[in-house]
Amino acid sequence: MSQDMTQQLIAAARRMETWIRDQALPLWQKVGFDPEFGANYERLLPDGQPDLEAKTRVRVQARQAFFYAAAFHRGWCPEGQKLATGLLNFVHQHAAHPTAGGGYTHLLDKHFTVIDSKQDLYDHAFFLLANAWCYRAFGDEAALREAEKLVAHFDTAFVADYGGWIEGDYAYACRRQNPHMHLFEAFLALYDATGEAKWLARVGELFALFQSRFFDPQQQVLLEFFNDDWTRCADERGDIVEPGHMMEWVWLLDWYSRRSGRPVKRYTDALYNKALEIGVAKSGLLFDSVMPDGRVLDHNKRCWGLTEFIKANLVQIRAGDPNATERAVKGVEDLFTYYLCASTPGSYVDQRGADDEVVVDVAPASTLYHLIVLAMELLDHCETYKS
């Protein structure tokens, strides 16, 4: 890696930090909260104002609690502790499940009244992550106790045969790797926050599921949709590949390896190289979904996929890939060119189309989770990895 390219990566990391600290945080603190309930709005409109008509996913409160806890921990948001704990308190008061004995509901109307009380595994993964970070950032013992209770709840309520957990307390068409990926992340966050080996053991259980079910060694791809026994779906869902998730697993597996000592390079290299081959458009953005043979299923390109691509490149830099630094630098440049380019500073475009045109111009609050993790990973990489 050239010294010039290293300096460009450091500059890219600082650019992300500046955007989070000086643009995103001031904007979302100013317009992102409902003044009566203290809940976070679901999204901002193109003019930078909140969408007051939108329904609100309960998990958005958890993702935003994580966002503010992480920002506080970095020294970017002195109000972060108050904001994060306020969001989780709102959920406890207004969106806790009334009869399940634990956990949360799924959807609120524009008045922040529950309109869908189903319990969803994916949602709960983010509450686990938020509580892990509230403990890490603030030393909040209540958050750690809540994390313990949540795990006990879905161990009982979402118990499944063949490993992992079911999708939730509702009828579903197939099982997904995606909630398990985010539980993998949440358990790693709990381990980092507490140092308790039981959380790393949980990650190890999910790593085994990744090895045996999610990863297809013949096609070198990550599978998404499965039957109850974790066999791949026989219909077209069984062939869907999301390049962004493949890149996200590169980052997660590397994180797990650094904590556990388990070798993962055969998986990270395979996922990275295959996603690079079949999932990246000419512009450098990632397609939302493709087939294992590279046929594009969905030509749209969400913002979050690019954040995961940049994080995967950081892993590959550390693994010695001579081209990964250049790809990471270009990825950050593309992020600002295509997504962090809204007319309101601190907002963003969510999705680009087949010709990289804007197709979704609202800014979902949930994307901030991806953006702040990227900023932290870039800064940590530049701080610790010297070449």
Side-chain angles (χ1 to χ4, degrees):
M1 185 196 319
S2 70
Q3 190 62 33
D4 178 64
M5 191 56 67
T6 302
Q7 291 304 313
Q8 288 184 48
L9 188 61
I10 292 170
R14 290 174 178 159
R15 187 180 185 188
M16 279 301 306
E17 177 185 19
T18 298
W19 185 86
I20 292 282
R21 185 190 62 221
D22 297 345
Q23 296 189 22
L25 279 160
L27 174 68
W28 287 85
Q29 287 178 81
K30 180 180 178 182
V31 303
F33 289 91
D34 172 78
E36 180 181 355
F37 291 97
N40 208 107
Y41 291 118
E42 174 74 15
R43 62 194 187 191
L44 302 185
L45 296 168
D47 65 0
Q49 293 303 305
D51 184 348
L52 302 179
E53 299 300 313
K55 299 182 178 74
T56 296
R57 297 166 294 173
V58 174
R59 69 171 173 264
V60 166
Q61 311 307 310
R63 287 170 76 131
Q64 286 297 86
F66 161 79
F67 173 71
Y68 287 111
F72 176 88
H73 187 255
R74 287 279 162 163
W76 298 337
C77 183
E79 305 85 1
Q81 180 173 359
K82 177 183 177 183
L83 297 173
T85 55
L87 288 168
L88 294 182
N89 287 337
F90 162 79
V91 171
H92 285 300
Q93 293 170 20
H94 298 279
H97 199 279
T99 60
Y104 304 103
T105 52
H106 180 65
L107 192 66
L108 312 175
D109 67 12
K110 66 180 182 180
H111 304 296
F112 301 103
T113 300
V114 174
I115 55 173
D116 187 345
S117 62
K118 77 178 181 185
Q119 292 209 302
D120 182 71
L121 182 66
Y122 182 88
D123 293 354
H124 286 71
F126 286 100
F127 280 100
L128 209 57
L129 181 68
N131 280 288
W133 270 84
C134 284
Y135 178 71
R136 178 176 177 177
F138 323 136
D140 186 345
E141 294 285 347
L144 184 58
R145 290 194 299 272
E146 177 63 15
E148 299 264 9
K149 287 196 296 184
L150 279 173
V151 174
H153 173 64
F154 62 68
D155 273 350
T156 302
F158 306 151
V159 64
D161 296 327
Y162 306 102
W165 297 270
I166 62 172
E167 295 294 302
D169 67 349
Y170 54 92
Y172 54 86
C174 52
R175 297 179 76 178
R176 298 172 295 163
Q177 74 78 25
N178 195 12
H180 295 79
M181 178 182 73
H182 286 293
L183 285 167
F184 191 99
E185 175 188 17
F187 286 131
L188 276 169
L190 280 164
Y191 177 69
D192 278 3
T194 67
E196 293 183 16
K198 66 181 181 182
W199 300 122
L200 195 60
R202 289 285 187 150
V203 187
E205 295 172 16
L206 288 165
F207 179 55
L209 201 57
F210 166 85
Q211 290 177 298
S212 62
R213 300 298 184 181
F214 302 160
F215 180 70
D216 180 336
Q218 279 73 46
Q219 301 186 97
Q220 304 278 283
V221 296
L222 179 78
L223 302 175
E224 294 285 342
F225 300 106
F226 302 86
N227 301 311
D228 279 336
D229 62 356
W230 287 121
T231 54
R232 65 191 290 175
C233 290
D235 59 17
E236 64 277 2
R237 292 172 302 184
D239 291 322
I240 292 173
V241 172
E242 296 193 21
H245 283 161
M246 291 175 68
M247 294 297 185
E248 198 162 0
W249 269 107
V250 171
W251 168 65
L252 288 167
L253 290 169
D254 177 73
W255 181 5
Y256 175 57
S257 180
R258 286 184 280 119
R259 298 299 181 267
S260 67
R262 296 286 296 274
V264 300
K265 192 173 188 299
R266 64 174 289 242
Y267 299 114
T268 55
D269 282 353
L271 290 169
Y272 176 85
N273 289 326
K274 190 66 174 182
L276 197 62
E277 175 191 339
I278 66 174
V280 181
K282 290 181 180 179
S283 60
L285 310 185
L286 269 69
F287 294 117
D288 283 359
S289 63
V290 298
M291 298 282 278
D293 63 6
R295 282 178 290 164
V296 179
L297 291 174
D298 188 344
H299 285 84
N300 289 329
K301 309 166 190 82
R302 294 281 306 277
C303 173
W304 70 264
L306 186 57
T307 69
E308 301 311 313
F309 179 44
I310 300 164
K311 286 157 56 182
N313 276 293
L314 300 180
V315 173
Q316 295 306 100
I317 292 169
R318 297 190 288 269
D321 184 328
N323 299 311
T325 304
E326 184 177 355
R327 291 188 184 119
V329 170
K330 181 180 183 299
V332 175
E333 183 67 34
D334 289 343
L335 190 66
F336 279 89
T337 298
Y338 291 102
Y339 300 109
L340 307 187
C341 56
S343 56
T344 302
S347 189
Y348 37 85
V349 169
D350 182 56
Q351 194 173 63
R352 295 277 177 166
D355 298 317
D356 296 332
E357 75 281 12
V358 174
V359 292
V360 177
D361 57 1
V362 296
S366 56
T367 303
L368 289 166
Y369 147 78
H370 290 280
L371 293 166
I372 198 170
V373 172
L374 172 61
M376 294 191 294
E377 288 296 311
L378 280 164
L379 290 163
D380 288 348
H381 174 89
C382 292
E383 181 64 30
T384 60
Y385 183 74
K386 309 296 182 184
S387 67

